[in-house]
Amino acid sequence: MTVNQGIDPYRIVPGQSIDIPDELLVQQAAPAPAGPPSCIVESGDTLSGISEQFGVPMERS
């Protein structure tokens, strides 16, 4: 299953929303928000960094 079809991992831009596969998220202390989890790209972010932050392998990003 591809979560982020159409997103070029070499060209993410600030303000872009990236969906996080919720079945792979690392357990966090705060309750999960309603709706599909996502991350808003900030200046300097990389897809590999976001993947690492959420504990999601790159091939699933």
Side-chain angles (χ1 to χ4, degrees):
M1 175 177 101
T2 302
V3 177
N4 290 294
Q5 290 182 330
I7 292 181
D8 181 347
Y10 301 104
R11 291 186 170 258
I12 58 174
V13 296
Q16 185 175 16
S17 178
I18 297 175
D19 293 330
I20 308 298
D22 57 351
E23 74 274 7
L24 297 176
L25 284 176
V26 173
Q27 293 290 331
Q28 297 183 11
S38 63
C39 172
I40 303 299
V41 177
E42 296 181 12
S43 181
D45 281 350
T46 62
L47 193 55
S48 62
I50 293 169
S51 177
E52 183 177 315
Q53 175 185 353
F54 286 95
V56 178
M58 281 291 293
E59 60 273 3
R60 290 295 311 269
S61 302

mmCIF file of all heavy atoms in Angstrom:
data_model
loop_
_atom_site.group_PDB
_atom_site.id
_atom_site.type_symbol
_atom_site.label_atom_id
_atom_site.label_comp_id
_atom_site.label_asym_id
_atom_site.label_seq_id
_atom_site.Cartn_x
_atom_site.Cartn_y
_atom_site.Cartn_z
ATOM 1 N N MET A 1 0.842 -1.181 0.000
ATOM 2 C CA MET A 1 0.000 0.000 0.000
ATOM 3 C C MET A 1 0.887 1.245 0.000
ATOM 4 O O MET A 1 1.739 1.413 0.833
ATOM 5 C CB MET A 1 -0.875 -0.009 1.248
ATOM 6 C CG MET A 1 -1.710 1.244 1.400
ATOM 7 S SD MET A 1 -2.789 1.170 2.838
ATOM 8 C CE MET A 1 -1.850 2.162 3.964
ATOM 9 N N THR A 2 0.716 2.105 -0.957
ATOM 10 C CA THR A 2 1.441 3.358 -1.003
ATOM 11 C C THR A 2 0.592 4.430 -0.356
ATOM 12 O O THR A 2 -0.549 4.643 -0.737
ATOM 13 C CB THR A 2 1.775 3.747 -2.452
ATOM 14 O OG1 THR A 2 2.537 2.682 -3.027
ATOM 15 C CG2 THR A 2 2.568 5.017 -2.506
ATOM 16 N N VAL A 3 1.170 5.100 0.631
ATOM 17 C CA VAL A 3 0.416 6.096 1.385
ATOM 18 C C VAL A 3 0.450 7.463 0.715
ATOM 19 O O VAL A 3 -0.551 8.146 0.648
ATOM 20 C CB VAL A 3 0.963 6.192 2.828
ATOM 21 C CG1 VAL A 3 0.254 7.270 3.601
ATOM 22 C CG2 VAL A 3 0.821 4.852 3.529
ATOM 23 N N ASN A 4 1.593 7.865 0.235
ATOM 24 C CA ASN A 4 1.769 9.209 -0.303
ATOM 25 C C ASN A 4 2.060 9.185 -1.797
ATOM 26 O O ASN A 4 3.106 9.638 -2.246
ATOM 27 C CB ASN A 4 2.897 9.920 0.449
ATOM 28 C CG ASN A 4 2.510 10.243 1.859
ATOM 29 O OD1 ASN A 4 1.628 11.052 2.088
ATOM 30 N ND2 ASN A 4 3.146 9.594 2.818
ATOM 31 N N GLN A 5 1.120 8.668 -2.568
ATOM 32 C CA GLN A 5 1.309 8.622 -4.008
ATOM 33 C C GLN A 5 1.457 10.039 -4.553
ATOM 34 O O GLN A 5 0.767 10.954 -4.121
ATOM 35 C CB GLN A 5 0.137 7.939 -4.678
ATOM 36 C CG GLN A 5 0.081 6.462 -4.394
ATOM 37 C CD GLN A 5 -1.068 5.785 -5.103
ATOM 38 O OE1 GLN A 5 -2.095 6.387 -5.350
ATOM 39 N NE2 GLN A 5 -0.868 4.527 -5.430
ATOM 40 N N GLY A 6 2.381 10.195 -5.470
ATOM 41 C CA GLY A 6 2.568 11.488 -6.112
ATOM 42 C C GLY A 6 3.513 12.429 -5.383
ATOM 43 O O GLY A 6 3.771 13.524 -5.850
ATOM 44 N N ILE A 7 4.045 12.014 -4.237
ATOM 45 C CA ILE A 7 4.999 12.873 -3.519
ATOM 46 C C ILE A 7 6.406 12.432 -3.885
ATOM 47 O O ILE A 7 6.773 11.278 -3.706
ATOM 48 C CB ILE A 7 4.782 12.815 -1.999
ATOM 49 C CG1 ILE A 7 3.443 13.468 -1.658
ATOM 50 C CG2 ILE A 7 5.931 13.478 -1.250
ATOM 51 C CD1 ILE A 7 3.110 13.501 -0.190
ATOM 52 N N ASP A 8 7.174 13.357 -4.423
ATOM 53 C CA ASP A 8 8.564 13.098 -4.791
ATOM 54 C C ASP A 8 9.407 13.235 -3.531
ATOM 55 O O ASP A 8 9.471 14.318 -2.945
ATOM 56 C CB ASP A 8 9.005 14.111 -5.851
ATOM 57 C CG ASP A 8 10.432 13.908 -6.323
ATOM 58 O OD1 ASP A 8 11.194 13.139 -5.682
ATOM 59 O OD2 ASP A 8 10.786 14.524 -7.336
ATOM 60 N N PRO A 9 10.069 12.159 -3.062
ATOM 61 C CA PRO A 9 10.849 12.246 -1.829
ATOM 62 C C PRO A 9 12.028 13.209 -1.915
ATOM 63 O O PRO A 9 12.598 13.586 -0.903
ATOM 64 C CB PRO A 9 11.327 10.810 -1.607
ATOM 65 C CG PRO A 9 11.248 10.159 -2.938
ATOM 66 C CD PRO A 9 10.128 10.846 -3.671
ATOM 67 N N TYR A 10 12.366 13.634 -3.118
ATOM 68 C CA TYR A 10 13.473 14.578 -3.293
ATOM 69 C C TYR A 10 12.977 16.018 -3.425
ATOM 70 O O TYR A 10 13.774 16.936 -3.552
ATOM 71 C CB TYR A 10 14.300 14.190 -4.529
ATOM 72 C CG TYR A 10 14.855 12.794 -4.410
ATOM 73 C CD1 TYR A 10 14.295 11.746 -5.119
ATOM 74 C CD2 TYR A 10 15.912 12.516 -3.546
ATOM 75 C CE1 TYR A 10 14.786 10.464 -4.993
ATOM 76 C CE2 TYR A 10 16.408 11.240 -3.412
ATOM 77 C CZ TYR A 10 15.845 10.217 -4.132
ATOM 78 O OH TYR A 10 16.330 8.942 -3.999
ATOM 79 N N ARG A 11 11.659 16.222 -3.396
ATOM 80 C CA ARG A 11 11.098 17.556 -3.586
ATOM 81 C C ARG A 11 9.894 17.813 -2.680
ATOM 82 O O ARG A 11 8.819 18.134 -3.148
ATOM 83 C CB ARG A 11 10.682 17.765 -5.039
ATOM 84 C CG ARG A 11 11.835 17.845 -5.974
ATOM 85 C CD ARG A 11 11.332 18.194 -7.368
ATOM 86 N NE ARG A 11 12.440 18.506 -8.209
ATOM 87 C CZ ARG A 11 12.804 19.744 -8.535
ATOM 88 N NH1 ARG A 11 12.120 20.767 -8.112
ATOM 89 N NH2 ARG A 11 13.843 19.946 -9.307
ATOM 90 N N ILE A 12 10.086 17.644 -1.364
ATOM 91 C CA ILE A 12 9.021 18.035 -0.454
ATOM 92 C C ILE A 12 9.219 19.513 -0.131
ATOM 93 O O ILE A 12 10.342 20.020 -0.157
ATOM 94 C CB ILE A 12 8.986 17.169 0.824
ATOM 95 C CG1 ILE A 12 10.302 17.219 1.598
ATOM 96 C CG2 ILE A 12 8.604 15.731 0.474
ATOM 97 C CD1 ILE A 12 10.262 16.501 2.922
ATOM 98 N N VAL A 13 8.131 20.203 0.110
ATOM 99 C CA VAL A 13 8.201 21.642 0.313
ATOM 100 C C VAL A 13 7.476 22.042 1.600
ATOM 101 O O VAL A 13 6.529 21.373 2.011
ATOM 102 C CB VAL A 13 7.602 22.419 -0.882
ATOM 103 C CG1 VAL A 13 8.407 22.182 -2.142
ATOM 104 C CG2 VAL A 13 6.162 22.041 -1.128
ATOM 105 N N PRO A 14 7.930 23.128 2.249
ATOM 106 C CA PRO A 14 7.249 23.594 3.455
ATOM 107 C C PRO A 14 5.760 23.812 3.209
ATOM 108 O O PRO A 14 5.352 24.310 2.160
ATOM 109 C CB PRO A 14 7.959 24.911 3.779
ATOM 110 C CG PRO A 14 9.331 24.750 3.201
ATOM 111 C CD PRO A 14 9.092 23.959 1.932
ATOM 112 N N GLY A 15 4.951 23.367 4.156
ATOM 113 C CA GLY A 15 3.507 23.506 4.060
ATOM 114 C C GLY A 15 2.825 22.294 3.450
ATOM 115 O O GLY A 15 1.613 22.144 3.555
ATOM 116 N N GLN A 16 3.611 21.410 2.827
ATOM 117 C CA GLN A 16 3.053 20.201 2.226
ATOM 118 C C GLN A 16 2.648 19.234 3.337
ATOM 119 O O GLN A 16 3.334 19.100 4.340
ATOM 120 C CB GLN A 16 4.121 19.558 1.348
ATOM 121 C CG GLN A 16 3.686 18.359 0.564
ATOM 122 C CD GLN A 16 4.806 17.889 -0.374
ATOM 123 O OE1 GLN A 16 5.959 18.254 -0.232
ATOM 124 N NE2 GLN A 16 4.439 17.071 -1.333
ATOM 125 N N SER A 17 1.525 18.553 3.161
ATOM 126 C CA SER A 17 1.055 17.571 4.133
ATOM 127 C C SER A 17 1.447 16.174 3.666
ATOM 128 O O SER A 17 1.241 15.812 2.515
ATOM 129 C CB SER A 17 -0.467 17.662 4.273
ATOM 130 O OG SER A 17 -0.933 16.694 5.181
ATOM 131 N N ILE A 18 2.035 15.411 4.585
ATOM 132 C CA ILE A 18 2.436 14.040 4.291
ATOM 133 C C ILE A 18 1.688 13.133 5.253
ATOM 134 O O ILE A 18 1.734 13.332 6.463
ATOM 135 C CB ILE A 18 3.957 13.857 4.465
ATOM 136 C CG1 ILE A 18 4.695 14.739 3.458
ATOM 137 C CG2 ILE A 18 4.353 12.395 4.315
ATOM 138 C CD1 ILE A 18 6.189 14.726 3.624
ATOM 139 N N ASP A 19 0.982 12.134 4.713
ATOM 140 C CA ASP A 19 0.252 11.185 5.549
ATOM 141 C C ASP A 19 1.220 10.191 6.174
ATOM 142 O O ASP A 19 2.158 9.729 5.527
ATOM 143 C CB ASP A 19 -0.796 10.433 4.735
ATOM 144 C CG ASP A 19 -1.915 11.348 4.255
ATOM 145 O OD1 ASP A 19 -2.219 12.340 4.955
ATOM 146 O OD2 ASP A 19 -2.475 11.091 3.177
ATOM 147 N N ILE A 20 0.971 9.866 7.447
ATOM 148 C CA ILE A 20 1.787 8.912 8.191
ATOM 149 C C ILE A 20 0.975 7.634 8.344
ATOM 150 O O ILE A 20 -0.136 7.681 8.853
ATOM 151 C CB ILE A 20 2.148 9.458 9.593
ATOM 152 C CG1 ILE A 20 2.763 10.863 9.505
ATOM 153 C CG2 ILE A 20 3.050 8.481 10.321
ATOM 154 C CD1 ILE A 20 4.052 10.957 8.747
ATOM 155 N N PRO A 21 1.503 6.474 7.915
ATOM 156 C CA PRO A 21 0.747 5.226 8.064
ATOM 157 C C PRO A 21 0.546 4.918 9.543
ATOM 158 O O PRO A 21 1.488 4.603 10.242
ATOM 159 C CB PRO A 21 1.619 4.167 7.399
ATOM 160 C CG PRO A 21 2.732 4.883 6.737
ATOM 161 C CD PRO A 21 2.779 6.269 7.279
ATOM 162 N N ASP A 22 -0.686 5.041 10.048
ATOM 163 C CA ASP A 22 -0.943 4.927 11.479
ATOM 164 C C ASP A 22 -0.643 3.554 12.051
ATOM 165 O O ASP A 22 -0.331 3.433 13.222
ATOM 166 C CB ASP A 22 -2.363 5.356 11.826
ATOM 167 C CG ASP A 22 -3.438 4.583 11.101
ATOM 168 O OD1 ASP A 22 -3.121 3.801 10.186
ATOM 169 O OD2 ASP A 22 -4.612 4.767 11.454
ATOM 170 N N GLU A 23 -0.682 2.497 11.251
ATOM 171 C CA GLU A 23 -0.383 1.180 11.795
ATOM 172 C C GLU A 23 1.089 1.012 12.137
ATOM 173 O O GLU A 23 1.466 0.087 12.825
ATOM 174 C CB GLU A 23 -0.839 0.072 10.832
ATOM 175 C CG GLU A 23 0.018 -0.107 9.596
ATOM 176 C CD GLU A 23 -0.373 0.807 8.434
ATOM 177 O OE1 GLU A 23 -1.231 1.683 8.616
ATOM 178 O OE2 GLU A 23 0.191 0.637 7.350
ATOM 179 N N LEU A 24 1.940 1.934 11.685
ATOM 180 C CA LEU A 24 3.370 1.841 11.952
ATOM 181 C C LEU A 24 3.885 2.905 12.913
ATOM 182 O O LEU A 24 5.066 2.911 13.232
ATOM 183 C CB LEU A 24 4.159 1.952 10.632
ATOM 184 C CG LEU A 24 3.908 0.833 9.630
ATOM 185 C CD1 LEU A 24 4.662 1.122 8.336
ATOM 186 C CD2 LEU A 24 4.329 -0.498 10.191
ATOM 187 N N LEU A 25 3.025 3.801 13.357
ATOM 188 C CA LEU A 25 3.485 4.878 14.229
ATOM 189 C C LEU A 25 4.064 4.334 15.527
ATOM 190 O O LEU A 25 3.558 3.377 16.105
ATOM 191 C CB LEU A 25 2.332 5.831 14.576
ATOM 192 C CG LEU A 25 1.917 6.804 13.495
ATOM 193 C CD1 LEU A 25 0.698 7.595 13.953
ATOM 194 C CD2 LEU A 25 3.040 7.748 13.151
ATOM 195 N N VAL A 26 5.118 4.969 15.988
ATOM 196 C CA VAL A 26 5.702 4.636 17.279
ATOM 197 C C VAL A 26 4.725 5.088 18.351
ATOM 198 O O VAL A 26 4.106 6.143 18.237
ATOM 199 C CB VAL A 26 7.069 5.362 17.444
ATOM 200 C CG1 VAL A 26 7.626 5.171 18.829
ATOM 201 C CG2 VAL A 26 8.051 4.891 16.393
ATOM 202 N N GLN A 27 4.568 4.291 19.398
ATOM 203 C CA GLN A 27 3.662 4.651 20.488
ATOM 204 C C GLN A 27 4.086 5.987 21.085
ATOM 205 O O GLN A 27 5.258 6.203 21.375
ATOM 206 C CB GLN A 27 3.703 3.572 21.585
ATOM 207 C CG GLN A 27 3.143 2.244 21.157
ATOM 208 C CD GLN A 27 1.634 2.293 20.970
ATOM 209 O OE1 GLN A 27 0.949 3.071 21.621
ATOM 210 N NE2 GLN A 27 1.128 1.472 20.086
ATOM 211 N N GLN A 28 3.129 6.882 21.273
ATOM 212 C CA GLN A 28 3.404 8.193 21.850
ATOM 213 C C GLN A 28 2.536 8.369 23.086
ATOM 214 O O GLN A 28 1.479 7.743 23.210
ATOM 215 C CB GLN A 28 3.113 9.290 20.840
ATOM 216 C CG GLN A 28 4.000 9.196 19.619
ATOM 217 C CD GLN A 28 3.767 10.326 18.645
ATOM 218 O OE1 GLN A 28 3.093 11.294 18.960
ATOM 219 N NE2 GLN A 28 4.331 10.212 17.467
ATOM 220 N N ALA A 29 2.960 9.208 24.033
ATOM 221 C CA ALA A 29 2.246 9.419 25.288
ATOM 222 C C ALA A 29 0.898 10.094 25.071
ATOM 223 O O ALA A 29 -0.069 9.789 25.751
ATOM 224 C CB ALA A 29 3.104 10.240 26.240
ATOM 225 N N ALA A 30 0.826 11.021 24.133
ATOM 226 C CA ALA A 30 -0.420 11.761 23.887
ATOM 227 C C ALA A 30 -1.375 10.909 23.068
ATOM 228 O O ALA A 30 -0.951 10.133 22.223
ATOM 229 C CB ALA A 30 -0.114 13.058 23.145
ATOM 230 N N PRO A 31 -2.682 11.049 23.309
ATOM 231 C CA PRO A 31 -3.644 10.308 22.494
ATOM 232 C C PRO A 31 -3.588 10.758 21.040
ATOM 233 O O PRO A 31 -3.306 11.912 20.746
ATOM 234 C CB PRO A 31 -4.996 10.653 23.113
ATOM 235 C CG PRO A 31 -4.766 11.815 24.000
ATOM 236 C CD PRO A 31 -3.305 11.894 24.297
ATOM 237 N N ALA A 32 -3.853 9.828 20.145
ATOM 238 C CA ALA A 32 -3.818 10.129 18.713
ATOM 239 C C ALA A 32 -4.976 11.046 18.339
ATOM 240 O O ALA A 32 -6.083 10.875 18.826
ATOM 241 C CB ALA A 32 -3.882 8.844 17.912
ATOM 242 N N PRO A 33 -4.733 12.036 17.485
ATOM 243 C CA PRO A 33 -5.820 12.904 17.036
ATOM 244 C C PRO A 33 -6.777 12.143 16.114
ATOM 245 O O PRO A 33 -6.398 11.138 15.525
ATOM 246 C CB PRO A 33 -5.096 14.012 16.265
ATOM 247 C CG PRO A 33 -3.810 13.392 15.842
ATOM 248 C CD PRO A 33 -3.457 12.381 16.899
ATOM 249 N N ALA A 34 -7.982 12.625 16.016
ATOM 250 C CA ALA A 34 -8.957 11.996 15.117
ATOM 251 C C ALA A 34 -8.536 12.213 13.673
ATOM 252 O O ALA A 34 -7.926 13.221 13.336
ATOM 253 C CB ALA A 34 -10.339 12.597 15.363
ATOM 254 N N GLY A 35 -8.866 11.284 12.813
ATOM 255 C CA GLY A 35 -8.523 11.410 11.398
ATOM 256 C C GLY A 35 -7.174 10.797 11.111
ATOM 257 O O GLY A 35 -6.448 10.398 12.010
ATOM 258 N N PRO A 36 -6.820 10.703 9.832
ATOM 259 C CA PRO A 36 -5.533 10.094 9.482
ATOM 260 C C PRO A 36 -4.376 10.951 9.955
ATOM 261 O O PRO A 36 -4.414 12.177 9.828
ATOM 262 C CB PRO A 36 -5.578 10.016 7.957
ATOM 263 C CG PRO A 36 -6.638 10.952 7.537
ATOM 264 C CD PRO A 36 -7.575 11.130 8.692
ATOM 265 N N PRO A 37 -3.355 10.323 10.542
ATOM 266 C CA PRO A 37 -2.199 11.105 11.001
ATOM 267 C C PRO A 37 -1.445 11.692 9.813
ATOM 268 O O PRO A 37 -1.365 11.073 8.759
ATOM 269 C CB PRO A 37 -1.340 10.084 11.737
ATOM 270 C CG PRO A 37 -1.944 8.754 11.512
ATOM 271 C CD PRO A 37 -3.242 8.918 10.801
ATOM 272 N N SER A 38 -0.939 12.897 9.996
ATOM 273 C CA SER A 38 -0.160 13.532 8.940
ATOM 274 C C SER A 38 0.877 14.438 9.568
ATOM 275 O O SER A 38 0.857 14.703 10.762
ATOM 276 C CB SER A 38 -1.057 14.330 7.995
ATOM 277 O OG SER A 38 -1.680 15.373 8.689
ATOM 278 N N CYS A 39 1.794 14.891 8.759
ATOM 279 C CA CYS A 39 2.859 15.790 9.182
ATOM 280 C C CYS A 39 2.898 16.938 8.179
ATOM 281 O O CYS A 39 2.832 16.714 6.975
ATOM 282 C CB CYS A 39 4.183 15.035 9.181
ATOM 283 S SG CYS A 39 5.626 16.062 9.464
ATOM 284 N N ILE A 40 3.009 18.156 8.664
ATOM 285 C CA ILE A 40 3.173 19.308 7.784
ATOM 286 C C ILE A 40 4.670 19.577 7.667
ATOM 287 O O ILE A 40 5.358 19.764 8.667
ATOM 288 C CB ILE A 40 2.443 20.551 8.329
ATOM 289 C CG1 ILE A 40 0.955 20.266 8.547
ATOM 290 C CG2 ILE A 40 2.659 21.745 7.397
ATOM 291 C CD1 ILE A 40 0.195 19.888 7.289
ATOM 292 N N VAL A 41 5.161 19.561 6.451
ATOM 293 C CA VAL A 41 6.587 19.764 6.194
ATOM 294 C C VAL A 41 6.990 21.180 6.591
ATOM 295 O O VAL A 41 6.297 22.146 6.285
ATOM 296 C CB VAL A 41 6.899 19.522 4.696
ATOM 297 C CG1 VAL A 41 8.357 19.809 4.389
ATOM 298 C CG2 VAL A 41 6.525 18.095 4.298
ATOM 299 N N GLU A 42 8.117 21.271 7.294
ATOM 300 C CA GLU A 42 8.690 22.568 7.672
ATOM 301 C C GLU A 42 10.001 22.765 6.925
ATOM 302 O O GLU A 42 10.602 21.804 6.446
ATOM 303 C CB GLU A 42 8.924 22.616 9.179
ATOM 304 C CG GLU A 42 7.637 22.528 9.979
ATOM 305 C CD GLU A 42 7.865 22.606 11.474
ATOM 306 O OE1 GLU A 42 8.979 22.961 11.906
ATOM 307 O OE2 GLU A 42 6.922 22.300 12.211
ATOM 308 N N SER A 43 10.426 23.999 6.836
ATOM 309 C CA SER A 43 11.673 24.319 6.161
ATOM 310 C C SER A 43 12.813 23.485 6.748
ATOM 311 O O SER A 43 12.960 23.394 7.965
ATOM 312 C CB SER A 43 11.979 25.810 6.314
ATOM 313 O OG SER A 43 13.165 26.132 5.635
ATOM 314 N N GLY A 44 13.580 22.833 5.899
ATOM 315 C CA GLY A 44 14.706 22.021 6.329
ATOM 316 C C GLY A 44 14.366 20.556 6.536
ATOM 317 O O GLY A 44 15.256 19.741 6.723
ATOM 318 N N ASP A 45 13.076 20.195 6.538
ATOM 319 C CA ASP A 45 12.680 18.801 6.694
ATOM 320 C C ASP A 45 13.087 17.983 5.476
ATOM 321 O O ASP A 45 13.137 18.486 4.357
ATOM 322 C CB ASP A 45 11.160 18.668 6.851
ATOM 323 C CG ASP A 45 10.667 18.982 8.250
ATOM 324 O OD1 ASP A 45 11.502 19.117 9.175
ATOM 325 O OD2 ASP A 45 9.436 19.103 8.423
ATOM 326 N N THR A 46 13.365 16.718 5.706
ATOM 327 C CA THR A 46 13.585 15.754 4.636
ATOM 328 C C THR A 46 12.624 14.597 4.871
ATOM 329 O O THR A 46 12.195 14.361 5.998
ATOM 330 C CB THR A 46 15.028 15.210 4.628
ATOM 331 O OG1 THR A 46 15.256 14.517 5.861
ATOM 332 C CG2 THR A 46 16.052 16.327 4.453
ATOM 333 N N LEU A 47 12.285 13.893 3.810
ATOM 334 C CA LEU A 47 11.378 12.760 3.958
ATOM 335 C C LEU A 47 12.019 11.693 4.847
ATOM 336 O O LEU A 47 11.346 11.090 5.678
ATOM 337 C CB LEU A 47 11.001 12.188 2.596
ATOM 338 C CG LEU A 47 9.835 11.212 2.604
ATOM 339 C CD1 LEU A 47 8.592 11.826 3.234
ATOM 340 C CD2 LEU A 47 9.522 10.736 1.205
ATOM 341 N N SER A 48 13.328 11.490 4.718
ATOM 342 C CA SER A 48 13.986 10.496 5.566
ATOM 343 C C SER A 48 13.970 10.926 7.030
ATOM 344 O O SER A 48 13.791 10.098 7.924
ATOM 345 C CB SER A 48 15.425 10.244 5.097
ATOM 346 O OG SER A 48 16.208 11.413 5.191
ATOM 347 N N GLY A 49 14.112 12.212 7.299
ATOM 348 C CA GLY A 49 14.044 12.718 8.673
ATOM 349 C C GLY A 49 12.658 12.564 9.267
ATOM 350 O O GLY A 49 12.498 12.179 10.433
ATOM 351 N N ILE A 50 11.629 12.850 8.470
ATOM 352 C CA ILE A 50 10.244 12.691 8.923
ATOM 353 C C ILE A 50 9.969 11.210 9.169
ATOM 354 O O ILE A 50 9.364 10.832 10.173
ATOM 355 C CB ILE A 50 9.259 13.286 7.900
ATOM 356 C CG1 ILE A 50 9.423 14.809 7.843
ATOM 357 C CG2 ILE A 50 7.823 12.907 8.251
ATOM 358 C CD1 ILE A 50 8.703 15.469 6.686
ATOM 359 N N SER A 51 10.428 10.365 8.275
ATOM 360 C CA SER A 51 10.259 8.928 8.412
ATOM 361 C C SER A 51 10.883 8.437 9.722
ATOM 362 O O SER A 51 10.278 7.678 10.468
ATOM 363 C CB SER A 51 10.900 8.223 7.212
ATOM 364 O OG SER A 51 10.815 6.840 7.325
ATOM 365 N N GLU A 52 12.081 8.898 10.012
ATOM 366 C CA GLU A 52 12.766 8.523 11.250
ATOM 367 C C GLU A 52 12.020 9.060 12.476
ATOM 368 O O GLU A 52 11.856 8.359 13.473
ATOM 369 C CB GLU A 52 14.195 9.052 11.227
ATOM 370 C CG GLU A 52 15.005 8.647 12.438
ATOM 371 C CD GLU A 52 16.432 9.139 12.347
ATOM 372 O OE1 GLU A 52 17.040 8.998 11.274
ATOM 373 O OE2 GLU A 52 16.927 9.670 13.353
ATOM 374 N N GLN A 53 11.556 10.297 12.406
ATOM 375 C CA GLN A 53 10.845 10.924 13.523
ATOM 376 C C GLN A 53 9.614 10.117 13.922
ATOM 377 O O GLN A 53 9.312 9.975 15.101
ATOM 378 C CB GLN A 53 10.430 12.346 13.130
ATOM 379 C CG GLN A 53 9.582 13.050 14.152
ATOM 380 C CD GLN A 53 9.107 14.415 13.653
ATOM 381 O OE1 GLN A 53 9.519 14.890 12.597
ATOM 382 N NE2 GLN A 53 8.233 15.030 14.408
ATOM 383 N N PHE A 54 8.890 9.579 12.938
ATOM 384 C CA PHE A 54 7.663 8.845 13.214
ATOM 385 C C PHE A 54 7.871 7.330 13.276
ATOM 386 O O PHE A 54 6.920 6.582 13.481
ATOM 387 C CB PHE A 54 6.602 9.191 12.166
ATOM 388 C CG PHE A 54 6.032 10.558 12.364
ATOM 389 C CD1 PHE A 54 6.543 11.640 11.665
ATOM 390 C CD2 PHE A 54 5.004 10.788 13.269
ATOM 391 C CE1 PHE A 54 6.031 12.916 11.848
ATOM 392 C CE2 PHE A 54 4.488 12.051 13.461
ATOM 393 C CZ PHE A 54 4.999 13.117 12.763
ATOM 394 N N GLY A 55 9.103 6.868 13.064
ATOM 395 C CA GLY A 55 9.375 5.446 13.130
ATOM 396 C C GLY A 55 8.782 4.651 11.993
ATOM 397 O O GLY A 55 8.392 3.501 12.156
ATOM 398 N N VAL A 56 8.696 5.274 10.822
ATOM 399 C CA VAL A 56 8.095 4.635 9.649
ATOM 400 C C VAL A 56 9.186 4.389 8.620
ATOM 401 O O VAL A 56 9.896 5.312 8.236
ATOM 402 C CB VAL A 56 7.000 5.546 9.034
ATOM 403 C CG1 VAL A 56 6.410 4.915 7.798
ATOM 404 C CG2 VAL A 56 5.930 5.857 10.063
ATOM 405 N N PRO A 57 9.344 3.149 8.152
ATOM 406 C CA PRO A 57 10.352 2.878 7.127
ATOM 407 C C PRO A 57 10.103 3.695 5.858
ATOM 408 O O PRO A 57 8.952 3.923 5.494
ATOM 409 C CB PRO A 57 10.203 1.390 6.841
ATOM 410 C CG PRO A 57 9.380 0.831 7.960
ATOM 411 C CD PRO A 57 8.582 1.958 8.517
ATOM 412 N N MET A 58 11.160 4.114 5.191
ATOM 413 C CA MET A 58 11.042 4.930 3.974
ATOM 414 C C MET A 58 10.199 4.265 2.904
ATOM 415 O O MET A 58 9.452 4.936 2.215
ATOM 416 C CB MET A 58 12.417 5.233 3.396
ATOM 417 C CG MET A 58 13.145 6.336 4.098
ATOM 418 S SD MET A 58 12.394 7.949 3.844
ATOM 419 C CE MET A 58 12.689 8.182 2.111
ATOM 420 N N GLU A 59 10.277 2.961 2.747
ATOM 421 C CA GLU A 59 9.515 2.311 1.684
ATOM 422 C C GLU A 59 8.014 2.395 1.936
ATOM 423 O O GLU A 59 7.224 2.184 1.052
ATOM 424 C CB GLU A 59 9.931 0.855 1.472
ATOM 425 C CG GLU A 59 9.762 -0.025 2.691
ATOM 426 C CD GLU A 59 10.963 -0.013 3.617
ATOM 427 O OE1 GLU A 59 11.936 0.723 3.377
ATOM 428 O OE2 GLU A 59 10.934 -0.752 4.613
ATOM 429 N N ARG A 60 7.570 2.768 3.141
ATOM 430 C CA ARG A 60 6.154 2.914 3.446
ATOM 431 C C ARG A 60 5.725 4.381 3.476
ATOM 432 O O ARG A 60 4.559 4.675 3.621
ATOM 433 C CB ARG A 60 5.830 2.296 4.819
ATOM 434 C CG ARG A 60 5.904 0.802 4.865
ATOM 435 C CD ARG A 60 4.851 0.138 3.989
ATOM 436 N NE ARG A 60 3.521 0.649 4.175
ATOM 437 C CZ ARG A 60 2.625 0.187 5.013
ATOM 438 N NH1 ARG A 60 2.913 -0.827 5.777
ATOM 439 N NH2 ARG A 60 1.425 0.732 5.084
ATOM 440 N N SER A 61 6.647 5.310 3.355
ATOM 441 C CA SER A 61 6.329 6.733 3.475
ATOM 442 C C SER A 61 5.547 7.248 2.316
ATOM 443 O O SER A 61 5.546 6.725 1.258
ATOM 444 C CB SER A 61 7.613 7.539 3.604
ATOM 445 O OG SER A 61 8.338 7.113 4.713
#
